[in-house]
Amino acid sequence: MAADLAPGLPPAVVTALVAAWAELFGLISFELFGQFDRVVEDRAAFFRHAAARLAHGVGLTPAA
């Protein structure tokens, strides 16, 4: 899979990126289809936290 998706990147990096993409897609889908209703009160804060965690997981850091 890694060689097809991103030749030149280590397989562990490609795996982390695909997993983060799937998690981000899930977060967006949950928001769009109301799965967070009555579960998450501050959705904006939750999404910021979740996106930051995903970014950190693939080696991205916040801008200064």
Side-chain angles (χ1 to χ4, degrees), residues 34-53:
Q35 298 301 311
F36 289 134
D37 291 350
R38 295 182 306 276
V39 176
V40 178
E41 289 184 26
D42 188 347
R43 291 196 187 114
F46 174 76
F47 189 82
R48 280 192 305 274
H49 172 76
R53 188 184 61 77

Side-chain angles (χ1 to χ4, degrees), residues 8-57:
L9 286 180
V13 171
V14 177
T15 301
L17 290 171
V18 171
W21 173 50
E23 289 180 54
L24 183 60
F25 184 84
L27 284 168
I28 292 168
S29 295
F30 266 48
E31 177 63 25
L32 288 174
F33 296 106
Q35 298 301 311
F36 289 134
D37 291 350
R38 295 182 306 276
V39 176
V40 178
E41 289 184 26
D42 188 347
R43 291 196 187 114
F46 174 76
F47 189 82
R48 280 192 305 274
H49 172 76
R53 188 184 61 77
L54 289 172
H56 178 73

